[in-house]
Amino acid sequence: MKKVIVLTGPTGVGKTNISIALCKRFNGEIINADASQIYRHLNIGTAKITNEEMQEVKHHLLDIVEPHEPFSIKDYQIIGRKLIAEIDLPFIVGGSGLYIQALITDYNLDTKPRSENQYPELSNEELHQLLVSLDPDAASKIHPNNRRRVLRYLEIANERGKVEANPPHPIYDALVLCFIRNRTSLYERINLRCEEMFQNGWIEECIELRKNGVNLHQLKDIGYRLIGEYLDGNLSYKEMVEKIKQEQRHYAKRQMTWFRNKMNCTFIDLDETSIDEIITLIESFLKS
RNA sequence: GGUGGGGUAGCGAAGUGGCUAAACGCGGUGGACUGUAAAUCCACUCUCUCCGAGUUCGACAGUUCGAAUCUGUCCCCAACCA
């Protein structure tokens, strides 16, 4: 099996810096595993690496579609796997757990494209009842209020019968490192980095996006919608910044839950681990 | 110094005699998730030896079978008048 290295962790831990150091050391190339950084023009707000920061290290799957263009995890899976085949030593770097899973396991996505807005006339409860009749196991796993997921499960039930109950199997020999820090330290970093984003011109980026016809309110990526609110005068600057920091912290927390419970990974506390220790780890993985 | 107002769990804020360990919101924590994933959703959040018990609603002292809710004194807070 092909060897790949995955570097993941919650937003703000410091994946980017380390990934560059490691890629230079091992002559690797980076495949982005961050759902938001796929999009062009969303730079500052997604903490996308700059050209200078790349230091000649090759990056893939960054800036490949326009913000309004459709891009699915299925597309990601196809392109990503092709890249893995082409690159000698791929470093998959990013915090989108599901994307990583789709990339490095046999995660089944080969059905027809998603349909939209089914059953608008049904209530959450009715929808859930419908799912109970089609796939009771799946229904028991999901709360009726989670309409979006209930709809998706209904879709799966209609297309291929049942939601897959077993976890997917790896298709590569992957070393999965999840960088962490203690909560306080992580939250401080997130707050600080958020301030930096504004100093670096996040607002200007948003104004520019608007000029080019992007509807900030339609972007799912953290911050853009709130900056839209601020630009519309519905939110004070301070409120907006605080709220964005908070959403970033909440996101980091959700990521941690995923890594802990959905991913088979080695946790590395960056507050207590040197880069040399990480290098040693990778060296022994590559030799094995 | 004077007047009327206010002090409720980490924060904001309901509650104005029993149905109140105290609504709700935020924050925090844990969790779910095989396709919007930086998405979507759920649970817990006074304390403990946690299917039961113990301590709370500025402090103390009262009234009452029973008080966060009524009375008195005191301490703080913001506001207004001097």
Side-chain angles (χ1 to χ4, degrees), chain A residues 85-97:
Chain A
E86 289 165 2
I87 298 167
D88 283 341
L89 181 57
F91 278 72
I92 296 157
V93 182
S96 300

Side-chain angles (χ1 to χ4, degrees), chain A residues 108-152:
Chain A
N108 181 14
L109 290 167
D110 49 7
T111 43
K112 57 184 183 180
R114 311 265 329 269
S115 39
E116 320 231 329
N117 268 336
Q118 301 268 291
Y119 315 103
E121 74 285 358
L122 293 185
S123 72
N124 288 178
E125 285 297 338
E126 290 166 337
L127 221 49
H128 192 258
Q129 275 313 309
L130 186 58
L131 182 60
V132 169
S133 67
L134 293 175
D135 185 350
D137 294 336
S140 70
K141 287 195 334 193
I142 201 78
H143 190 103
N145 285 0
N146 201 348
R147 175 173 258 260
R148 183 176 290 184
R149 310 263 51 245
V150 172
L151 279 169
R152 165 89 276 250

Side-chain angles (χ1 to χ4, degrees), chain A residues 6-15 33-35 92-102 104 176-181 183 186 190 248-268:
Chain A
V6 176
L7 307 179
T8 190
T11 190
V13 262
K15 297 185 287 292
D34 191 311
I92 296 157
V93 182
S96 300
L98 185 62
Y99 276 48
I100 293 170
Q101 195 159 42
I104 66 171
V176 183
L177 303 182
C178 179
F179 298 132
I180 54 169
R181 307 184 107 103
R183 205 49 75 83
L186 179 65
I190 288 172
Q248 291 178 341
R249 278 182 257 132
H250 286 165
Y251 172 48
K253 188 174 169 298
R254 261 178 283 136
Q255 286 177 298
M256 286 305 301
T257 301
W258 179 283
F259 301 140
R260 271 196 297 254
N261 304 312
K262 284 279 194 184
M263 258 183 159
N264 198 266
C265 50
T266 306
F267 289 97
I268 294 178

Side-chain angles (χ1 to χ4, degrees), chain A residues 6 76 92 149 153 165 173 212 236 252 280 285:
Chain A
V6 176
Y76 180 81
I92 296 157
R149 310 263 51 245
Y153 279 12
D173 182 9
N212 295 317
S236 78
T280 309
F285 164 73

